[in-house]
Amino acid sequence: MHNVSSAAALIAASLFVLPLAAQRIKVTTQTVPLFVTVTDDQRRLVTDLVQEDFAVFDNGKPQAITTFSNQPTPFTVVVMLDTSGSMTLNLDLVKEAAEQFVLRLLPEDRAKIGAFNDKIQIFPKDEFSGDRDALIRILKNDLDFGYPTRLFDAVDESIGALRGVEGRRVVITFTDGDDTASRLGRGDVLERARIEDVMIYGVGMESEFFNGAQRVRTRPDRGLKTLAEETGGGFFDLKKKEELGPAFTRIAQELRTMYVLGFAPPVNDGKVHKLEVKVRRPSVSIRARKSYVAPPPTPTSETAR
């Protein structure tokens, strides 16, 4: 246990002395990371808390916080947009809103841009990019239309694109309708996000379109909200087109002001553990992931034979 605490302490200390480019939080079997957003009753971001203000519970039992930082840390993100038929009249607005997020990327951040309908696209196809101009060109020129909505498949492929990436991994997904064609369900995607420690943000908006016979009003799939809540991201349920740009801008702001907490897993059992974060300050709201998968048990000499 002394070695675990020492390693976690070294990680915590490095957060305060390394430049931003080196502050990528590496997930190890020795530290369970939590990225926490705190807001007041006016939805303003709270940024002046200290380690002693937080309490972390694993399956209801309090844990010693061994890592803490309130400094910005880089992230890697997939921005995934619904380009199905219902988005025909609103797609340019959504692209402009997503551009507001891309413009706020810092040099150390990396991103890919994706779209989903009856097919799923993610660009660039090779490495994540920090070139904002190139990412904006993808937004404007490379995303195709389609008709069915493969929402959960798209989130799953976004998580897959982040596999092997160190540090914070984020998926931002916009949709205006229900999933209509995915092979995977919400539960499948949530399980993968939990195992691979990916935070999901959701942006949903009601829209209207003509389906060839009548005007249809859509509502964003509520499963996306569940994914966001369970993984510690936010969900923005928009009623007006004018709210699109501010929603993507807000996501960028939140990703810059999250607290990083860490603790040593109390047991390596390979099971899902419930997480809860509390703050010792009244009238605030907290968002953080609600569970994690503990490392698998270490084989004993008996089981190794």
Side-chain angles (χ1 to χ4, degrees):
M1 181 61 72
H2 175 72
N3 291 337
V4 170
S5 300
S6 298
L10 287 173
I11 294 171
S14 70
L15 292 175
F16 294 97
V17 297
L18 295 177
L20 182 61
Q23 288 182 10
R24 292 190 177 272
I25 309 301
K26 186 173 182 179
V27 179
T28 74
T29 56
Q30 298 174 333
T31 304
V32 179
L34 290 129
F35 301 98
V36 184
T37 300
V38 184
T39 56
D40 65 16
D41 53 7
Q42 301 297 314
R43 293 190 67 249
R44 294 172 298 198
L45 293 164
V46 177
T47 60
D48 62 342
L49 298 173
V50 297
Q51 179 172 332
E52 291 70 25
D53 292 320
F54 290 90
V56 174
F57 299 84
D58 179 313
N59 281 344
K61 297 179 180 179
Q63 303 298 314
I65 297 172
T66 55
T67 302
F68 177 83
S69 175
N70 61 355
Q71 302 300 310
T73 56
F75 56 82
T76 305
V77 61
V78 178
V79 180
M80 180 63 69
L81 306 179
D82 184 343
T83 58
S84 61
S86 60
M87 285 297 300
T88 302
L89 299 178
N90 294 323
L91 187 56
D92 286 343
L93 291 173
V94 174
K95 289 181 177 181
E96 291 172 6
E99 182 176 338
Q100 294 304 307
F101 176 83
V102 172
L103 288 171
R104 288 164 173 79
L105 294 175
L106 296 182
E108 297 82 8
D109 301 324
R110 295 293 180 266
K112 290 189 177 190
I113 306 296
F116 64 96
N117 38 75
D118 58 320
K119 58 183 176 296
I120 298 167
Q121 303 170 287
I122 301 179
F123 300 108
K125 291 186 176 296
D126 45 8
E127 300 294 326
F128 282 85
S129 175
D131 185 335
R132 292 180 295 185
D133 291 337
L135 293 167
I136 289 171
R137 284 195 295 272
I138 292 170
L139 268 172
K140 291 182 176 180
N141 303 319
D142 295 345
L143 306 183
D144 293 337
F145 280 103
Y147 281 90
T149 304
R150 293 176 60 195
L151 169 62
F152 297 128
D153 285 351
V155 178
D156 182 74
E157 289 201 21
S158 299
I159 296 171
L162 290 161
R163 174 175 288 178
V165 174
E166 291 186 359
R168 268 197 300 171
R169 298 182 291 270
V170 184
V171 174
I172 301 171
T173 306
F174 169 87
T175 189
D176 71 336
D178 286 321
D179 187 302
T180 59
S182 284
R183 296 184 300 273
L184 298 174
R186 179 190 66 190
D188 302 308
V189 179
L190 176 57
E191 182 179 4
R192 185 173 189 182
R194 180 189 289 129
I195 292 172
E196 302 192 23
D197 187 20
V198 174
M199 176 183 291
I200 298 170
Y201 268 87
V203 181
M205 185 181 74
E206 296 181 8
S207 67
E208 288 187 2
F209 74 105
F210 186 70
N211 66 1
Q214 60 183 346
R215 295 201 65 80
V216 178
R217 186 162 188 84
T218 68
R219 289 186 57 84
D221 197 300
R222 306 309 292 176
L224 183 57
K225 181 179 180 181
T226 300
L227 293 177
E229 291 176 343
E230 290 290 330
T231 61
F235 181 76
F236 297 80
D237 192 357
L238 310 183
K239 305 300 181 185
K240 301 177 181 178
K241 300 174 185 177
E242 294 77 14
E243 297 173 326
L244 277 166
F248 278 89
T249 299
R250 171 71 178 212
I251 294 172
Q253 292 170 341
E254 289 191 3
L255 289 171
R256 295 277 170 245
T257 56
M258 289 181 177
Y259 296 89
V260 183
L261 310 180
F263 67 95
V267 60
N268 292 354
D269 58 8
K271 297 179 180 180
V272 175
H273 288 231
K274 292 183 179 180
L275 287 171
E276 185 179 10
V277 180
K278 296 182 179 180
V279 173
R280 299 181 180 95
R281 180 179 292 188
S283 303
V284 298
S285 298
I286 307 155
R287 290 206 313 271
R289 61 174 171 155
K290 297 182 178 181
S291 60
Y292 77 101
V293 178
T298 302
T300 65
S301 57
E302 289 296 324
T303 58
R305 290 196 186 105

